[in-house]
Amino acid sequence: MLGGSFNPPHLGHVHNSEVAMKYLGLDAVWWLVTPGNPLKSKVGLPNVIDRMNSCRQLVQNPRIIISDLESNLGTTRTVETLPLIQKNFPSTEFVWLAGTEIAHEFHKWYRWQDLIRMIPFAFVGRPTQYGVVRNTVFHNDSSLSHHVLHHGGRPILDKGHIYWIFSEPLNPQSSTLLRAQKTRFAPEPSKV
């Protein structure tokens, strides 16, 4: 599962999904298009349907599934969403997928200590400052088992395990940068 606002979706999301499928042996990656990230402003956030349509226009890989499960479940926080998904799909193995920039800010997530006990996490390398990845709540918790994956395969995806994938080229695209570029290059309103 790759959760996010997808405002806008971009090829970095596709890259992370395809890298995770390769290195973790995943059958699919579900993009959970959230109604709104509690850590980000909702000002100017397009509605879920528009963002899902943008995702569908971008994604060519049939193994990437676009979903609005959080909207359907009435949840906004991962710690609330995850148990409901696991209950509704009891025979499915899940792993939470994100870029390494999320690992650095994970301590801001609501009930993050509970989350790391509920599901394995996998982080795909993203352009970040040197040393940022080593300074995370994941590395400060000695009960977690860390695995750096160097090639594709199908590791056992257990709770309490963190998978790090750095062996692929880094994709620099980010929704934040794309929104900033759109704002910077937006045409000036005409004056009458």
Side-chain angles (χ1 to χ4, degrees):
M1 289 183 283
L2 175 67
S5 301
F6 298 95
N7 179 31
H10 53 75
L11 292 176
H13 294 124
V14 175
H15 171 81
N16 283 4
S17 300
E18 291 178 343
V19 166
M21 285 189 266
K22 174 182 172 182
Y23 280 76
L24 299 169
L26 303 178
D27 298 321
V29 171
W30 295 1
W31 285 12
L32 301 181
V33 182
T34 180
N37 182 334
L39 298 175
K40 295 180 181 177
S41 170
K42 292 179 183 69
V43 174
L45 180 68
N47 67 50
V48 172
I49 295 191
D50 289 343
R51 287 181 283 131
M52 286 183 60
N53 287 336
S54 294
C55 291
R56 288 185 182 113
Q57 290 171 3
L58 174 70
V59 172
Q60 301 298 310
N61 189 326
R63 294 170 52 205
I64 298 175
I65 314 299
I66 313 303
S67 168
D68 62 348
L69 274 171
E70 280 193 320
S71 292
N72 292 329
L73 295 170
T75 59
T76 57
R77 298 182 184 272
T78 305
V79 75
E80 300 162 346
T81 303
L82 195 53
L84 296 174
I85 291 174
Q86 290 172 321
K87 180 181 176 184
N88 285 308
F89 300 92
S91 60
T92 302
E93 276 185 274
F94 289 105
V95 60
W96 193 266
L97 171 63
T100 50
E101 77 281 9
I102 299 300
H104 183 63
E105 65 182 37
F106 191 73
H107 65 282
K108 297 176 184 174
W109 287 31
Y110 180 69
R111 291 179 45 201
W112 63 267
Q113 299 95 332
D114 295 331
L115 268 175
I116 60 177
R117 307 284 176 246
M118 296 168 71
I119 190 171
F121 281 78
F123 294 99
V124 177
R126 298 272 295 145
T128 56
Q129 293 178 324
Y130 181 76
V132 164
V133 172
R134 288 191 195 103
N135 188 24
T136 69
V137 292
F138 297 103
H139 284 90
N140 296 328
D141 187 330
S142 61
S143 70
L144 297 174
S145 177
H146 294 270
H147 308 272
V148 177
L149 304 179
H150 297 287
H151 52 77
R154 187 145 182 120
I156 296 171
L157 301 174
D158 285 331
K159 296 174 190 174
H161 288 241
I162 311 297
Y163 303 90
W164 302 93
I165 305 168
F166 299 110
S167 298
E168 295 289 322
L170 304 180
N171 187 303
Q173 283 197 331
S174 84
S175 296
T176 302
L177 291 175
L178 291 172
R179 284 192 310 274
Q181 288 173 350
K182 183 178 178 183
T183 302
R184 192 171 73 209
F185 296 114
E188 292 283 330
S190 58
K191 297 176 183 176
V192 180

